[in-house]
Amino acid sequence: MHKRDEAAKYLKTAKGQIEGILKMIDEGRYCVDISTQIIAAQSLLKKANMLILRDHLNNCVKMAFMQDQAEEKIDEIIDIMEKLLK
């Protein structure tokens, strides 16, 4: 659960950044500054996603391998990787 707690922290921070970005848009702030904040929020989302996927691999996928049921979990990871690479 430690990784999920850390991911939740990143997501809460990203939520605050996104709320700030919306405020910046409402205030008509400089586009490059807005874009910079969007990139920062995306970085936090990526970090949170990596932690969640790491937790999944270390728990669900590992357990599936030990129970000789790995094929479905491998397919899930491949689907996620395809989405990440788009």
Side-chain angles (χ1 to χ4, degrees):
M1 283 306 264
H2 175 69
K3 296 289 184 206
R4 287 183 179 220
D5 291 342
E6 194 175 345
K9 186 177 83 172
Y10 283 129
L11 291 170
K12 288 175 185 174
T13 302
K15 178 183 175 184
Q17 281 188 315
I18 291 168
E19 289 170 352
I21 293 165
L22 291 169
K23 184 177 178 185
M24 290 174 75
I25 290 170
D26 290 342
E27 294 171 352
R29 300 273 297 272
Y30 188 55
C31 295
V32 172
D33 293 340
I34 294 169
S35 181
T36 299
Q37 291 305 310
I38 291 171
I39 292 167
Q42 288 173 324
S43 177
L44 287 167
L45 293 172
K46 287 178 184 178
K47 287 178 183 179
N49 192 34
M50 191 57 61
L51 287 169
I52 294 297
L53 289 174
R54 182 183 303 270
D55 189 55
H56 181 66
L57 287 168
N58 284 323
N59 294 298
C60 300
V61 175
K62 187 186 287 185
M63 185 65 69
F65 270 90
M66 291 188 314
Q67 296 174 351
D68 199 29
Q69 300 171 346
E71 190 171 329
E72 179 183 343
K73 297 300 178 189
I74 291 171
D75 289 342
E76 287 177 346
I77 295 298
I78 290 171
D79 289 344
I80 289 293
M81 289 175 60
E82 287 175 345
K83 291 174 185 174
L84 287 171
L85 296 174
K86 284 185 180 179

